[in-house]
Amino acid sequence: MAKHAIAVLLLFIVLFNLALQSSSSQPPRPFSFRGAPKFLGRFSTSKSHHSNDRRSKQILGYRYETRYFEQRLDHFSFAELPTFNQRYLISSEHWAGPDRLGPIFLYCGNEGDIEWFAANTGFVWEIAPSFGAMVVFPEHRYYGESLPFGSREEAYKNAATLSYLTAEQALADFSVLITNLKRNLSAEACPVVLFGGSYGGMLAAWMRVKYPHIAIGALASSAPILQFEDIVPPETFYDIVSNDFKRESTSCFNTIKASWSALISEGQKENGLSQLTRMFRLCRELTNTEELTNWLDSAYSYLAMVNYPYPSDFIMPLPGHPIREVCRKIDGCPDGTSVLERVFEGVNVFYNHTGEVNCFELDDDPHGMNGWSWQACSEMVMPMSSSPDASMFPTYEFNFSAFQEECWTDFKVIPRPRWITTEFGGKDIMTDLKTFGSNIIFSNGFLDPWSGGSVTQNVSGSVVALNTQEGS
Amino acid sequence: MAKHAIAVLLLFIVLFNLALQSSSSQPPRPFSFRGAPKFLGRFSTSKSHHSNDRRSKQILGYRYETRYFEQRLDHFSFAELPTFNQRYLISSEHWAGPDRLGPIFLYCGNEGDIEWFAANTGFVWEIAPSFGAMVVFPEHRYYGESLPFGSREEAYKNAATLSYLTAEQALADFSVLITNLKRNLSAEACPVVLFGGSYGGMLAAWMRVKYPHIAIGALASSAPILQFEDIVPPETFYDIVSNDFKRESTSCFNTIKASWSALISEGQKENGLSQLTRMFRLCRELTNTEELTNWLDSAYSYLAMVNYPYPSDFIMPLPGHPIREVCRKIDGCPDGTSVLERVFEGVNVFYNHTGEVNCFELDDDPHGMNGWSWQACSEMVMPMSSSPDASMFPTYEFNFSAFQEECWTDFKVIPRPRWITTEFGGKDIMTDLKTFGSNIIFSNGFLDPWSGGSVTQNVSGSVVALNTQEGS
């Protein structure tokens, strides 16, 4: 037993160092929202492969298989409900096996197609061989192919069918799956290490806290587990995004800050909306300026999340230092260029880096029925405001009543803003994690707007923050 | 913060010593079952006060109030379900208040009327004043007055209405209630300490593990958290009961062991069942010998759980050392007394100590619809066997298929025998609790048949076992 504990400790120390070395090259999974938050469902869907065959596939040269596991819809009741098949990717290619206590690397699937996340989580694949680790990527329920009620349409039909889309159910899915998998492989003694980024990073940290007997440690990247209630100021997110622009160029920051009122003024003119539609090369006519505001807001927020120093293609094909590029475009327009023309040039870097887009779609999820919107409206209530000075976004104060009304309109669901901290803690995270947490690495890039809601200080010898000052 | 941590530690050390001192006088909450397990629902119901008024009442001279808190039926989904009112008893009489960080003693209500448990948990009431502690006794959902769907009849109607009767939901109830209570009292910083016995002891230990941010420590009495799957041998429970009899008298043990076949032989004779009905002074005619076997089995099992050295009245009015009394009756019959007449004399000590019973009811819960039976048939699957030699009970090997069939017949529910260890751990409890557990006292009496499934060894400096060799 002591031998086992030492092996586990060693594994964790090595993992920590590896994470440290590669933290600058590992893209965190971004998310973004405002008011009724949105996430990357639309991106992940368009990029997914959607295959049903179980043939072996490859990521970065590593072979994996696609399998399916039958899950209960509600783990915490005995209500008679249909089960669903959870998809998971598995690679035993480099696994040392049960006799040599080969570890199992479990990636906590987040709100999108698991193949997309697997393809963008090179770190796990790269380090697995040197640990003799098995790699498992289970998909999060209600995303990708892991759809209850047989189809996406049925699963997303209404509040009743969506009601089992919660983080607790997802953690129970992971726990039941991995326990079953280990039993079938006589691998009960093999340690499980969790990985995850963004929402998946939150799941990894929470799973280490709620299912410590199942996983011995977690690497939680860009995991804003403190972005609930009043734990961090609601302005944090947009202040960081804004600062990412300001540090590149104050005039760029000022131009964007000035653009919102210019946009509203323009929209109020006769034929203003048509004028804006043409100026921003939109595929369909604007019906209000808010649509355009949200489109611009999304671009800036995502840019802050993927502001890598090298060209990348996670949510969009982008150049290296994309915010610098945006500001270069905004600042570089000839004298006399209007504020709105400038910001249009800027967001082209995000929405049209390849230059192939003829016109821009404002919203390819018109029903707002993507899974993250539901989660944000039910238990993942993250208050977000935009401050009058430090933020370049339109000033906005989070208003729970308005938020609640929006959620009722969209989903007929009543948000439970206090549930997450009751279930997972967070109100006094330093004391809590010091007292009962262990083996969690929170990795953060301080340019990433989600770092403000993450754990950015070392808590104890085995709950540590791994911060990259200039990391996204 | 450091000051707070020290206060908490001190509190825990004092509690530990108090528990040590009083462990011999604190009755653990017993439970018992065989095949389709039973519990103390029937006792607790008959003893309950069932009052709806909120006037202040007293236990051992301590005043408390009865209040109700609106709870969700399923904390882990957003399904549209009716809420229910959870009853809780609360006493702030001796509370030091939020400014002085007065602790909150939270008793994890178990499978019965909370007033009955509160009246039988003197320890908590007695120590509260010296800690300046608030005392809260929340009732477990589906028991006492805390009934979903408006009435006991509706709540226990079928598998669909019963499906939210699970330990996880109960823990979430406690967590939501206490978080809300603390917020309303501006007492967020006040430490919560958990108490519980038997199933409630399991809840206390599990809550400390699953909600460490909510409670800083737990005193779990007679909590068989290891009585699942194959963690402890399935013979453990009945072997301990049997040994409790053998240590009083080998002939007593032998008589009981011989009685089962005598009983079956008698039952197979012409008019045998009528003869047994008369011999055992039953209120209604026996329809098979199994009914009588179960009735005797229950008596012996309960006796082992409440085998206190002093007269008590927890589940039945009993003399001190009741097993010694039973054996004295069995052994003391004149020569020539039959085995069956002897055991009848013996069980009279349990069922009729007061001598007021005219005839015996075999089963006052004829529909088997009490809550514990449901829990045992859904997630609380505790395999129980009776060994051929060490046990004085009829030899029986636990058979999951037969168990599953019985549960289907009784409740139309399919048991999930592996869920509890997935959700709460237990397969490698020493490593698990050493790695992530803290501030849990497991108190056990080694004469108590549930001690075999409890944690009986010290795990670490703050997860300790407090054993009383001759304790029940």
mmCIF file of all heavy atoms in Angstrom, chain B residues 114-145:
data_model
loop_
_atom_site.group_PDB
_atom_site.id
_atom_site.type_symbol
_atom_site.label_atom_id
_atom_site.label_comp_id
_atom_site.label_asym_id
_atom_site.label_seq_id
_atom_site.Cartn_x
_atom_site.Cartn_y
_atom_site.Cartn_z
ATOM 1 N N ILE B 114 -38.072 11.930 13.140
ATOM 2 C CA ILE B 114 -36.918 12.637 13.707
ATOM 3 C C ILE B 114 -37.094 12.923 15.197
ATOM 4 O O ILE B 114 -36.102 12.975 15.938
ATOM 5 C CB ILE B 114 -36.625 13.939 12.915
ATOM 6 C CG1 ILE B 114 -35.233 14.472 13.266
ATOM 7 C CG2 ILE B 114 -37.691 14.995 13.139
ATOM 8 C CD1 ILE B 114 -34.094 13.535 12.947
ATOM 9 N N GLU B 115 -38.339 13.061 15.652
ATOM 10 C CA GLU B 115 -38.526 13.332 17.086
ATOM 11 C C GLU B 115 -38.072 12.140 17.926
ATOM 12 O O GLU B 115 -37.557 12.291 19.025
ATOM 13 C CB GLU B 115 -39.997 13.653 17.381
ATOM 14 C CG GLU B 115 -40.431 14.980 16.797
ATOM 15 C CD GLU B 115 -41.717 15.497 17.420
ATOM 16 O OE1 GLU B 115 -42.491 14.672 17.958
ATOM 17 O OE2 GLU B 115 -41.940 16.715 17.371
ATOM 18 N N TRP B 116 -38.284 10.954 17.385
ATOM 19 C CA TRP B 116 -37.874 9.740 18.076
ATOM 20 C C TRP B 116 -36.350 9.674 18.175
ATOM 21 O O TRP B 116 -35.781 9.393 19.231
ATOM 22 C CB TRP B 116 -38.435 8.528 17.318
ATOM 23 C CG TRP B 116 -38.129 7.220 17.941
ATOM 24 C CD1 TRP B 116 -38.374 6.854 19.222
ATOM 25 C CD2 TRP B 116 -37.533 6.094 17.297
ATOM 26 N NE1 TRP B 116 -37.966 5.568 19.431
ATOM 27 C CE2 TRP B 116 -37.445 5.078 18.265
ATOM 28 C CE3 TRP B 116 -37.073 5.847 16.009
ATOM 29 C CZ2 TRP B 116 -36.910 3.829 17.969
ATOM 30 C CZ3 TRP B 116 -36.550 4.605 15.717
ATOM 31 C CH2 TRP B 116 -36.469 3.608 16.685
ATOM 32 N N PHE B 117 -35.665 9.989 17.065
ATOM 33 C CA PHE B 117 -34.205 9.984 17.105
ATOM 34 C C PHE B 117 -33.670 11.078 18.036
ATOM 35 O O PHE B 117 -32.710 10.867 18.777
ATOM 36 C CB PHE B 117 -33.616 10.151 15.698
ATOM 37 C CG PHE B 117 -33.839 8.952 14.824
ATOM 38 C CD1 PHE B 117 -34.680 9.015 13.723
ATOM 39 C CD2 PHE B 117 -33.224 7.750 15.118
ATOM 40 C CE1 PHE B 117 -34.894 7.900 12.927
ATOM 41 C CE2 PHE B 117 -33.426 6.626 14.324
ATOM 42 C CZ PHE B 117 -34.273 6.706 13.227
ATOM 43 N N ALA B 118 -34.288 12.244 17.949
ATOM 44 C CA ALA B 118 -33.833 13.357 18.799
ATOM 45 C C ALA B 118 -33.963 12.979 20.274
ATOM 46 O O ALA B 118 -33.064 13.238 21.080
ATOM 47 C CB ALA B 118 -34.634 14.618 18.485
ATOM 48 N N ALA B 119 -35.079 12.317 20.608
ATOM 49 C CA ALA B 119 -35.313 11.935 22.011
ATOM 50 C C ALA B 119 -34.330 10.863 22.457
ATOM 51 O O ALA B 119 -34.076 10.699 23.648
ATOM 52 C CB ALA B 119 -36.750 11.445 22.178
ATOM 53 N N ASN B 120 -33.778 10.100 21.502
ATOM 54 C CA ASN B 120 -32.860 9.021 21.848
ATOM 55 C C ASN B 120 -31.398 9.354 21.552
ATOM 56 O O ASN B 120 -30.562 8.469 21.466
ATOM 57 C CB ASN B 120 -33.259 7.748 21.104
ATOM 58 C CG ASN B 120 -34.431 7.058 21.778
ATOM 59 O OD1 ASN B 120 -34.271 6.396 22.790
ATOM 60 N ND2 ASN B 120 -35.617 7.269 21.236
ATOM 61 N N THR B 121 -31.115 10.631 21.346
ATOM 62 C CA THR B 121 -29.735 11.024 21.089
ATOM 63 C C THR B 121 -29.329 12.062 22.127
ATOM 64 O O THR B 121 -28.982 13.199 21.805
ATOM 65 C CB THR B 121 -29.569 11.558 19.645
ATOM 66 O OG1 THR B 121 -30.196 10.630 18.753
ATOM 67 C CG2 THR B 121 -28.108 11.661 19.248
ATOM 68 N N GLY B 122 -29.386 11.638 23.364
ATOM 69 C CA GLY B 122 -29.079 12.526 24.477
ATOM 70 C C GLY B 122 -27.696 13.162 24.380
ATOM 71 O O GLY B 122 -27.512 14.334 24.730
ATOM 72 N N PHE B 123 -26.755 12.395 23.868
ATOM 73 C CA PHE B 123 -25.376 12.861 23.764
ATOM 74 C C PHE B 123 -25.268 14.254 23.148
ATOM 75 O O PHE B 123 -24.625 15.148 23.692
ATOM 76 C CB PHE B 123 -24.584 11.841 22.931
ATOM 77 C CG PHE B 123 -23.154 12.192 22.695
ATOM 78 C CD1 PHE B 123 -22.251 12.261 23.750
ATOM 79 C CD2 PHE B 123 -22.686 12.445 21.412
ATOM 80 C CE1 PHE B 123 -20.914 12.572 23.531
ATOM 81 C CE2 PHE B 123 -21.349 12.761 21.188
ATOM 82 C CZ PHE B 123 -20.469 12.832 22.253
ATOM 83 N N VAL B 124 -25.930 14.419 21.991
ATOM 84 C CA VAL B 124 -25.845 15.697 21.279
ATOM 85 C C VAL B 124 -26.405 16.830 22.135
ATOM 86 O O VAL B 124 -25.801 17.903 22.255
ATOM 87 C CB VAL B 124 -26.585 15.609 19.921
ATOM 88 C CG1 VAL B 124 -26.669 16.977 19.257
ATOM 89 C CG2 VAL B 124 -25.895 14.610 19.008
ATOM 90 N N TRP B 125 -27.558 16.584 22.753
ATOM 91 C CA TRP B 125 -28.186 17.612 23.587
ATOM 92 C C TRP B 125 -27.329 17.939 24.800
ATOM 93 O O TRP B 125 -27.190 19.099 25.189
ATOM 94 C CB TRP B 125 -29.572 17.154 24.050
ATOM 95 C CG TRP B 125 -30.522 16.921 22.927
ATOM 96 C CD1 TRP B 125 -30.878 15.726 22.377
ATOM 97 C CD2 TRP B 125 -31.248 17.914 22.195
ATOM 98 N NE1 TRP B 125 -31.759 15.902 21.358
ATOM 99 C CE2 TRP B 125 -32.021 17.241 21.220
ATOM 100 C CE3 TRP B 125 -31.330 19.317 22.267
ATOM 101 C CZ2 TRP B 125 -32.847 17.913 20.333
ATOM 102 C CZ3 TRP B 125 -32.166 19.987 21.378
ATOM 103 C CH2 TRP B 125 -32.908 19.287 20.421
ATOM 104 N N GLU B 126 -26.746 16.875 25.370
ATOM 105 C CA GLU B 126 -25.983 17.065 26.614
ATOM 106 C C GLU B 126 -24.712 17.882 26.403
ATOM 107 O O GLU B 126 -24.338 18.681 27.254
ATOM 108 C CB GLU B 126 -25.605 15.701 27.201
ATOM 109 C CG GLU B 126 -26.751 15.043 27.953
ATOM 110 C CD GLU B 126 -26.522 13.551 28.145
ATOM 111 O OE1 GLU B 126 -25.360 13.111 28.085
ATOM 112 O OE2 GLU B 126 -27.524 12.823 28.333
ATOM 113 N N ILE B 127 -24.050 17.652 25.257
ATOM 114 C CA ILE B 127 -22.774 18.350 25.067
ATOM 115 C C ILE B 127 -22.929 19.729 24.428
ATOM 116 O O ILE B 127 -22.025 20.552 24.516
ATOM 117 C CB ILE B 127 -21.776 17.516 24.229
ATOM 118 C CG1 ILE B 127 -22.279 17.322 22.795
ATOM 119 C CG2 ILE B 127 -21.491 16.168 24.900
ATOM 120 C CD1 ILE B 127 -21.232 16.754 21.855
ATOM 121 N N ALA B 128 -24.082 19.973 23.795
ATOM 122 C CA ALA B 128 -24.258 21.240 23.061
ATOM 123 C C ALA B 128 -23.991 22.477 23.934
ATOM 124 O O ALA B 128 -23.250 23.373 23.513
ATOM 125 C CB ALA B 128 -25.635 21.296 22.416
ATOM 126 N N PRO B 129 -24.545 22.551 25.161
ATOM 127 C CA PRO B 129 -24.355 23.780 25.945
ATOM 128 C C PRO B 129 -22.885 24.102 26.204
ATOM 129 O O PRO B 129 -22.475 25.260 26.085
ATOM 130 C CB PRO B 129 -25.082 23.478 27.254
ATOM 131 C CG PRO B 129 -26.103 22.447 26.900
ATOM 132 C CD PRO B 129 -25.457 21.602 25.847
ATOM 133 N N SER B 130 -22.080 23.095 26.485
ATOM 134 C CA SER B 130 -20.683 23.405 26.819
ATOM 135 C C SER B 130 -19.900 23.872 25.593
ATOM 136 O O SER B 130 -18.814 24.443 25.720
ATOM 137 C CB SER B 130 -20.000 22.211 27.488
ATOM 138 O OG SER B 130 -20.162 21.066 26.705
ATOM 139 N N PHE B 131 -20.425 23.613 24.381
ATOM 140 C CA PHE B 131 -19.772 24.126 23.170
ATOM 141 C C PHE B 131 -20.402 25.425 22.674
ATOM 142 O O PHE B 131 -19.977 25.981 21.674
ATOM 143 C CB PHE B 131 -19.858 23.099 22.041
ATOM 144 C CG PHE B 131 -18.946 21.920 22.237
ATOM 145 C CD1 PHE B 131 -19.438 20.719 22.734
ATOM 146 C CD2 PHE B 131 -17.602 22.026 21.942
ATOM 147 C CE1 PHE B 131 -18.593 19.642 22.921
ATOM 148 C CE2 PHE B 131 -16.758 20.952 22.136
ATOM 149 C CZ PHE B 131 -17.252 19.757 22.632
ATOM 150 N N GLY B 132 -21.468 25.847 23.338
ATOM 151 C CA GLY B 132 -22.226 26.988 22.823
ATOM 152 C C GLY B 132 -22.797 26.658 21.459
ATOM 153 O O GLY B 132 -22.849 27.491 20.553
ATOM 154 N N ALA B 133 -23.219 25.392 21.293
ATOM 155 C CA ALA B 133 -23.618 24.924 19.961
ATOM 156 C C ALA B 133 -25.123 25.019 19.709
ATOM 157 O O ALA B 133 -25.925 24.807 20.619
ATOM 158 C CB ALA B 133 -23.173 23.474 19.783
ATOM 159 N N MET B 134 -25.451 25.338 18.501
ATOM 160 C CA MET B 134 -26.826 25.201 18.029
ATOM 161 C C MET B 134 -27.045 23.721 17.701
ATOM 162 O O MET B 134 -26.109 23.031 17.274
ATOM 163 C CB MET B 134 -27.021 26.028 16.759
ATOM 164 C CG MET B 134 -28.403 25.921 16.146
ATOM 165 S SD MET B 134 -28.466 26.655 14.493
ATOM 166 C CE MET B 134 -28.225 28.365 14.910
ATOM 167 N N VAL B 135 -28.260 23.221 17.923
ATOM 168 C CA VAL B 135 -28.557 21.823 17.608
ATOM 169 C C VAL B 135 -29.641 21.776 16.529
ATOM 170 O O VAL B 135 -30.669 22.442 16.661
ATOM 171 C CB VAL B 135 -29.035 21.068 18.866
ATOM 172 C CG1 VAL B 135 -29.507 19.669 18.513
ATOM 173 C CG2 VAL B 135 -27.916 21.011 19.903
ATOM 174 N N VAL B 136 -29.363 21.054 15.449
ATOM 175 C CA VAL B 136 -30.341 20.925 14.362
ATOM 176 C C VAL B 136 -30.536 19.445 14.037
ATOM 177 O O VAL B 136 -29.566 18.722 13.801
ATOM 178 C CB VAL B 136 -29.881 21.679 13.091
ATOM 179 C CG1 VAL B 136 -30.959 21.615 12.014
ATOM 180 C CG2 VAL B 136 -29.536 23.124 13.409
ATOM 181 N N PHE B 137 -31.772 19.006 14.044
ATOM 182 C CA PHE B 137 -32.118 17.630 13.694
ATOM 183 C C PHE B 137 -33.023 17.645 12.465
ATOM 184 O O PHE B 137 -34.244 17.683 12.598
ATOM 185 C CB PHE B 137 -32.890 16.953 14.845
ATOM 186 C CG PHE B 137 -32.037 16.338 15.916
ATOM 187 C CD1 PHE B 137 -31.434 17.129 16.886
ATOM 188 C CD2 PHE B 137 -31.856 14.959 15.975
ATOM 189 C CE1 PHE B 137 -30.659 16.562 17.893
ATOM 190 C CE2 PHE B 137 -31.077 14.383 16.982
ATOM 191 C CZ PHE B 137 -30.473 15.181 17.943
ATOM 192 N N PRO B 138 -32.465 17.626 11.264
ATOM 193 C CA PRO B 138 -33.348 17.543 10.093
ATOM 194 C C PRO B 138 -33.850 16.111 9.895
ATOM 195 O O PRO B 138 -33.113 15.152 10.124
ATOM 196 C CB PRO B 138 -32.449 17.955 8.930
ATOM 197 C CG PRO B 138 -31.056 17.766 9.397
ATOM 198 C CD PRO B 138 -31.044 17.707 10.890
ATOM 199 N N GLU B 139 -35.072 16.006 9.479
ATOM 200 C CA GLU B 139 -35.671 14.682 9.238
ATOM 201 C C GLU B 139 -35.275 14.198 7.848
ATOM 202 O O GLU B 139 -35.136 14.987 6.919
ATOM 203 C CB GLU B 139 -37.188 14.787 9.346
ATOM 204 C CG GLU B 139 -37.912 13.460 9.366
ATOM 205 C CD GLU B 139 -39.325 13.646 9.938
ATOM 206 O OE1 GLU B 139 -40.098 14.445 9.358
ATOM 207 O OE2 GLU B 139 -39.636 13.025 10.966
ATOM 208 N N HIS B 140 -35.081 12.907 7.715
ATOM 209 C CA HIS B 140 -34.756 12.301 6.418
ATOM 210 C C HIS B 140 -36.014 12.301 5.540
ATOM 211 O O HIS B 140 -37.105 11.983 6.013
ATOM 212 C CB HIS B 140 -34.287 10.871 6.652
ATOM 213 C CG HIS B 140 -33.618 10.221 5.468
ATOM 214 N ND1 HIS B 140 -34.277 9.960 4.286
ATOM 215 C CD2 HIS B 140 -32.357 9.780 5.301
ATOM 216 C CE1 HIS B 140 -33.432 9.373 3.437
ATOM 217 N NE2 HIS B 140 -32.255 9.251 4.030
ATOM 218 N N ARG B 141 -35.857 12.658 4.288
ATOM 219 C CA ARG B 141 -37.007 12.655 3.376
ATOM 220 C C ARG B 141 -37.698 11.287 3.351
ATOM 221 O O ARG B 141 -37.062 10.264 3.505
ATOM 222 C CB ARG B 141 -36.572 13.042 1.963
ATOM 223 C CG ARG B 141 -35.421 12.205 1.413
ATOM 224 C CD ARG B 141 -35.223 12.409 -0.085
ATOM 225 N NE ARG B 141 -34.964 13.786 -0.459
ATOM 226 C CZ ARG B 141 -35.115 14.257 -1.695
ATOM 227 N NH1 ARG B 141 -35.532 13.450 -2.669
ATOM 228 N NH2 ARG B 141 -34.857 15.513 -1.977
ATOM 229 N N TYR B 142 -38.990 11.294 3.199
ATOM 230 C CA TYR B 142 -39.847 10.103 3.126
ATOM 231 C C TYR B 142 -40.091 9.458 4.492
ATOM 232 O O TYR B 142 -40.671 8.383 4.547
ATOM 233 C CB TYR B 142 -39.285 9.037 2.176
ATOM 234 C CG TYR B 142 -39.436 9.362 0.700
ATOM 235 C CD1 TYR B 142 -38.508 10.172 0.053
ATOM 236 C CD2 TYR B 142 -40.521 8.876 -0.034
ATOM 237 C CE1 TYR B 142 -38.642 10.474 -1.283
ATOM 238 C CE2 TYR B 142 -40.661 9.166 -1.378
ATOM 239 C CZ TYR B 142 -39.714 9.971 -2.007
ATOM 240 O OH TYR B 142 -39.853 10.267 -3.344
ATOM 241 N N TYR B 143 -39.616 10.081 5.560
ATOM 242 C CA TYR B 143 -39.881 9.535 6.901
ATOM 243 C C TYR B 143 -40.562 10.598 7.751
ATOM 244 O O TYR B 143 -40.465 11.797 7.462
ATOM 245 C CB TYR B 143 -38.577 9.067 7.553
ATOM 246 C CG TYR B 143 -37.950 7.894 6.829
ATOM 247 C CD1 TYR B 143 -36.897 8.080 5.939
ATOM 248 C CD2 TYR B 143 -38.438 6.600 7.022
ATOM 249 C CE1 TYR B 143 -36.330 7.001 5.260
ATOM 250 C CE2 TYR B 143 -37.868 5.514 6.349
ATOM 251 C CZ TYR B 143 -36.819 5.723 5.478
ATOM 252 O OH TYR B 143 -36.276 4.653 4.807
ATOM 253 N N GLY B 144 -41.210 10.124 8.814
ATOM 254 C CA GLY B 144 -41.877 11.043 9.736
ATOM 255 C C GLY B 144 -42.857 11.929 9.001
ATOM 256 O O GLY B 144 -43.743 11.435 8.291
ATOM 257 N N GLU B 145 -42.667 13.229 9.122
ATOM 258 C CA GLU B 145 -43.575 14.169 8.455
ATOM 259 C C GLU B 145 -43.002 14.718 7.152
ATOM 260 O O GLU B 145 -43.659 15.510 6.482
ATOM 261 C CB GLU B 145 -43.856 15.351 9.388
ATOM 262 C CG GLU B 145 -44.630 14.976 10.631
ATOM 263 C CD GLU B 145 -44.917 16.191 11.501
ATOM 264 O OE1 GLU B 145 -44.611 17.327 11.076
ATOM 265 O OE2 GLU B 145 -45.448 16.002 12.598
#
